[in-house]
Amino acid sequence: MPRFLPALATLALLASATGLPAPASAQEKAAPSVGTDTLKPGAPAHQPYLTDALVPDTVAILPPPPASHSAAEAADRAAFNATRALKGTTRWELAAADVAEGAAAILDNFACVLGTKLDQARVPTLMTLLERARLDIARGTRGPKVHYRRLRPFVGNEAPICVQRTQQLTDSYSYPSGHASQGWAYALIMASLVPEKASAILVRGRAYGESRVVCGVHWMSDVEAGRTNGAAIVAALQANATFRADLERARADLGKAMASGGPVPDQAHCAREEAASRMPEL
């Protein structure tokens, strides 16, 4: 039996929940690519940490996406169909908010978990670390996307999704999920930086990836592969001396910023976010 089925009983409960505040542009912009949007477009581009020779062969590491007419593909389709019922709920609003990606978005995504809103200007070494790592994540994601060329779940139907349908999004490939790859990699990095909050950070990172299923732009197996993909990239990064040195600088950077405090996130928002994040796996 597909693992997401036990979660279907929660749909009615989620439907009655108060929605999370989502950015006004969330419904107007297509899901961005993991390889685009730099922190400061006018600044010199960051360089990835890993050389071509040291980037993990993610085509070899990841299993192929589910075969046509297989039980795994049926489970993917059932998850997509079931989560369309989440439109208008707290979980749907969280998925729309989770369309944002990149180093700046990570501070917003983890604000409730960290207990404070951090201005990116206060943690410059952390931002640089995440932006450089993002380039490695993008390279590790691009290979299997192009290799498998899997279509996204909304292609060929009119089912609701949490972003605007665009040709660019339709023409991009689904396996693995770049958002899930990035979200899980960032969650692993943040968990290592703030180990006392590691469990909550990883819960949020998992939910960030699953938002792609709720949003209707990825299959569940895309998200599962994205987590494996992100973990493989982080494992390779840990072997890089420059990354490790930057990680320690970012640890000090983040520690000082958290110790000095900042605006406390809206607690009602955080309660809704936590409830949505705790939804059983689809």
Side-chain angles (χ1 to χ4, degrees):
M1 179 179 293
R3 288 177 295 159
F4 65 88
L5 289 178
L8 299 184
T10 66
L11 297 183
L13 292 176
L14 286 170
S16 64
T18 303
L20 283 167
S25 61
Q27 298 295 332
E28 301 170 359
K29 295 182 180 179
S33 165
V34 72
T36 61
D37 298 342
T38 59
L39 176 61
K40 296 180 179 179
H46 292 297
Q47 296 296 315
Y49 285 106
L50 303 174
T51 64
D52 290 343
L54 294 179
V55 174
D57 184 355
T58 49
V59 173
I61 293 169
L62 297 179
S68 180
H69 304 299
S70 66
E73 185 194 51
D76 268 350
R77 292 189 181 281
F80 172 74
N81 292 334
T83 49
R84 298 314 86 213
L86 290 173
K87 184 178 180 180
T89 68
T90 300
R91 189 64 186 88
W92 185 274
E93 296 298 337
L94 180 61
D98 282 348
V99 169
E101 60 165 357
I106 203 70
L107 295 186
D108 291 334
N109 291 337
F110 291 116
C112 289
V113 172
L114 296 176
T116 184
K117 291 183 178 181
L118 293 174
D119 183 342
Q120 57 184 301
R122 297 174 60 199
V123 285
T125 57
L126 173 62
M127 303 307 290
T128 297
L129 174 85
L130 295 177
E131 283 296 325
R132 290 191 66 180
R134 187 184 187 202
L135 298 177
D136 294 302
I137 298 163
R139 282 199 297 176
T141 303
R142 191 175 301 116
K145 275 183 177 287
V146 173
H147 181 78
Y148 291 112
R149 298 174 180 267
R150 191 185 196 190
L151 295 179
R152 292 179 182 264
F154 64 84
V155 175
N157 61 72
E158 297 300 322
I161 63 175
C162 81
V163 293
Q164 180 182 353
R165 289 170 181 258
T166 66
Q167 194 61 47
Q168 180 182 7
L169 182 62
T170 298
D171 290 343
S172 63
Y173 301 122
S174 196
Y175 183 92
S177 165
H179 274 70
S181 299
Q182 183 185 131
W184 193 243
Y186 277 0
L188 290 172
I189 291 170
M190 292 295 292
S192 72
L193 293 173
V194 194
E196 65 273 19
K197 296 181 180 290
S199 293
I201 288 171
L202 294 172
V203 167
R204 184 68 182 91
R206 172 183 56 76
Y208 179 84
E210 290 175 351
S211 284
R212 306 306 283 165
V213 180
V214 175
C215 191
V217 294
H218 276 291
W219 305 103
M220 190 65 202
S221 57
D222 299 339
V223 171
E224 292 169 345
R227 286 196 289 264
T228 300
N229 194 50
I233 300 300
V234 171
L237 288 171
Q238 292 286 357
N240 181 276
T242 303
F243 173 82
R244 293 197 305 272
D246 285 353
L247 189 71
E248 291 310 309
R249 283 191 284 270
R251 190 189 312 281
D253 196 23
L254 181 58
K256 290 178 182 178
M258 291 183 63
S260 62
V264 176
D266 179 75
Q267 294 306 295
H269 168 89
C270 291
R272 294 194 298 272
E273 179 183 288
E274 182 179 9
S277 297
R278 295 282 182 178
M279 177 182 176
E281 186 176 353
L282 303 172

